[in-house]
Amino acid sequence: MPLELDKLDRRILAVLQKDVRRPAELIGAEVGLSASAIQRRIARLREDGVITAEVAVVDPKSVGRPLTMIVEVEVERERPELLASLKQWVTVEPMIQEAWYVTGAGDYVLIVLARDVEQFEALMQRMVVENANVRRYHTRVALGTIKRGTLVPVE
């Protein structure tokens, strides 16, 4: 069951998603609460798992990861232990930025950042060799980024 968030919590979340370093005093002035009330609410949102991380969003090209690949992975069998093994492999692989268990022709969709095609191909070869349950994969190369979202609608 989702946590009950009031209008003020949602306004605070909207501000923090755009600038997590914004001082509590400025957030308070914007939403009509004191800095200490803002700090208490933020602490509660962290404790309740609404705020899961406070991170810097890094441009992949700036750190030598210009290629974004969208990979659809199809598995042989839907046995729980085989799916868990693949999920664990995906979870610890740093090149895989996002992984979704999906409906449709494929079973998973992966978003992969790579330096070049060779690095990507090496990752895919490791995935197939280390996960015998992978039947096949289909890759799409992103030609450009139109939108990369990090803001969850909170209204």
Side-chain angles (χ1 to χ4, degrees), residues 8-145:
L8 293 171
D9 289 332
R10 292 174 186 280
R11 289 179 65 195
I12 292 166
L13 288 169
V15 170
L16 289 176
Q17 286 189 92
K18 292 177 185 161
D19 182 6
V20 75
R21 293 173 24 169
R22 188 165 203 155
E25 295 79 16
L26 293 180
I27 298 170
E30 203 169 314
V31 302
L33 291 174
S34 69
S36 60
I38 294 293
Q39 291 167 338
R40 283 192 301 275
R41 282 176 178 260
I42 291 171
R44 182 180 46 80
L45 292 166
R46 286 181 184 126
E47 289 167 14
D48 291 343
V50 176
I51 297 174
T52 59
E54 297 174 27
V55 299
V57 178
V58 176
D59 173 40
K61 291 178 186 174
S62 297
V63 293
R65 304 291 177 164
L67 292 180
T68 300
M69 311 294 202
I70 299 113
V71 184
E72 185 177 283
V73 178
E74 188 178 328
V75 297
E76 278 301 325
R77 294 172 200 86
E78 298 269 344
R79 290 193 356 229
E81 70 276 9
L82 296 174
L83 294 178
S85 176
L86 179 58
K87 287 177 186 177
Q88 176 60 31
W89 189 89
V90 164
T91 300
V92 299
E93 176 51 56
M95 286 175 57
I96 299 173
Q97 297 297 294
E98 296 181 48
W100 302 92
Y101 186 44
V102 298
T103 62
D107 299 294
Y108 296 93
V109 173
L110 311 177
I111 307 299
V112 179
L113 297 180
R115 278 190 316 267
D116 50 38
V117 173
E118 291 78 17
Q119 184 186 40
F120 171 75
E121 186 58 29
L123 173 71
M124 292 295 97
Q125 289 303 317
R126 278 193 301 112
M127 181 181 71
V128 170
V129 168
E130 296 173 15
N131 296 278
N133 195 34
V134 172
R135 178 183 299 161
R136 67 178 64 95
Y137 64 91
H138 303 277
T139 303
R140 291 178 180 84
V141 178
L143 299 176
T145 302

